[in-house]
Amino acid sequence: MNWQDEIESAAQRIRPFLRKTPTLRAEGFGLSYPVELKLEQVQHTGSFKARGAFNTLLSSDVPKAGVVAASGGNHGAAVGFAASRLGHPARIFVPEMAGPAKIALIQRTGADLTVVPGAYSNALDAARDHEDRTGAMQIHAYDAPATVAGQGTVMREWEKQGLEADTVLIAVGGGGLIAGALAWLGDRRKVVAVEPDTACTLHAALKADTPVDVEVSGIAANALGARRIGQICFDLSRHGVQSVLVNDTAIAQAQQALWHETRQLVEPAGATALAALMSGSYRPKPGERVAVLICGGNLAPDPVA
């Protein structure tokens, strides 16, 4: 697949429906060097996920039965929002661990919502059953070419906004966002994958040299809680991606620092990549310019509810 062409096409396709999200050069966070930030949490529905959802719907023949998706929260909200804007029915399955704030976010999109006991994998099983019964089109949260191409438009946009960094740190759940970044960047910049140590699908896959199931828990699990890394992400990541882990304390500290120092309210997943710098899990070389992708802003509980 020519990923550059796919991402270029996706960018043109989704342009009328997406926000161009701002960037910020920030100092502080207890670091001795500045950090470039991409504030993707201000995207529609509070995360980058709207990019992949719109690209999938706009590049597909959607059946009369509409679309179905399994989600920890952010993907479901994005699919519900995109389907509503484009006039398609949507059915979203989420696990209980998604929490009331993200469940309410999905409900506000107008999608039909089903909360499933268990984890994301249980919601995915339920979504597949619905697909088989109704003929609805499944929109995978991360392991589909149209999704990855849509997410790749984040990095394309950032470069056009003047990204200077040598290295970009990106949080990883199922891998759609970092796969899109790798697909766009190739070997032009270093990409560091950052995961919670209690939800480390890519780290485990790289160690095993194949995607494997992992146990999932922790404060970022409702966004980064896939049990197995996507095959597309694994294939793009296995050569040259540095994988680092952070704990829940580091994530919470980064989340607090983003608010205290930049007045950016983000969910734990959105602060995970920054946590790698603040905790020292990733230490740049002298003179190395670094950037952090802030991927989601859907806090639980809702801070202004």
Side-chain angles (χ1 to χ4, degrees):
M1 178 176 293
N2 187 325
W3 282 111
Q4 292 275 318
D5 286 351
E6 291 295 323
I7 293 169
E8 281 286 357
S9 296
Q12 303 309 316
R13 191 178 293 125
I14 68 179
R15 186 190 307 275
F17 303 96
L18 272 294
R19 294 172 178 155
K20 180 185 288 186
T21 56
T23 63
L24 175 68
R25 180 180 171 90
E27 296 182 353
F29 307 121
L31 305 175
S32 61
Y33 47 86
V35 180
E36 291 180 84
L37 304 176
K38 174 74 163 161
L39 307 180
E40 191 66 12
Q41 85 278 7
V42 305
Q43 189 54 262
H44 292 301
T45 68
S47 84
F48 67 92
K49 296 280 191 177
R51 296 175 183 267
F54 271 110
N55 190 49
T56 300
L57 290 175
L58 290 166
S59 61
S60 305
D61 292 325
V62 179
K64 186 177 180 180
V67 299
V68 60
S71 171
N74 288 344
H75 175 63
V79 170
F81 178 79
S84 175
R85 286 288 303 273
L86 298 174
H88 302 300
R91 182 73 173 270
I92 310 298
F93 293 85
V94 299
E96 292 172 322
M97 69 187 299
K102 288 188 177 181
I103 288 171
L105 176 63
I106 296 170
Q107 289 172 328
R108 288 197 295 272
T109 71
D112 290 330
L113 176 67
T114 300
V115 180
V116 178
Y120 169 77
S121 58
N122 303 105
L124 182 59
D125 289 341
R128 287 170 173 161
D129 288 343
H130 179 81
E131 177 187 14
D132 291 341
R133 286 187 288 103
T134 67
M137 185 178 77
Q138 177 84 235
I139 301 183
H140 199 281
Y142 51 86
D143 200 23
T147 300
V148 170
Q151 318 312 22
T153 65
V154 177
M155 194 57 61
R156 174 190 178 277
E157 181 177 287
W158 200 356
E159 287 201 315
K160 289 185 178 297
Q161 291 172 307
L163 176 66
E164 297 179 348
D166 306 301
T167 301
V168 182
L169 288 86
I170 302 176
V172 178
L177 179 59
I178 197 169
L182 290 165
W184 176 255
L185 291 174
D187 59 1
R188 291 199 308 276
R189 303 179 197 264
K190 181 179 180 180
V191 176
V192 177
V194 186
E195 297 174 278
D197 57 11
T198 56
C200 52
T201 58
L202 179 57
H203 192 83
L206 292 173
K207 185 176 181 179
D209 199 32
T210 188
V212 293
D213 287 344
V214 301
E215 294 298 319
V216 172
S217 62
I219 62 172
N222 68 355
L224 304 180
R227 286 188 180 275
R228 177 184 288 240
I229 199 69
Q231 188 66 47
I232 296 172
C233 178
F234 177 72
D235 291 340
L236 288 167
S237 299
R238 61 192 308 180
H239 303 296
V241 169
Q242 183 171 346
S243 170
V244 301
L245 303 180
V246 293
N247 60 33
D248 279 0
T249 298
I251 293 170
Q253 289 172 344
Q255 187 183 20
Q256 292 163 2
L258 279 163
W259 171 246
H260 292 154
E261 302 195 31
T262 66
R263 280 304 188 251
Q264 299 298 313
L265 277 173
V266 306
E267 63 187 285
T272 295
L274 178 62
L277 295 177
M278 291 182 58
S279 67
S281 292
Y282 181 76
R283 297 183 184 274
K285 297 177 182 178
E288 182 180 354
R289 299 169 298 177
V290 295
V292 169
L293 180 48
I294 308 298
C295 58
N298 292 315
L299 289 85
D302 189 326
V304 296

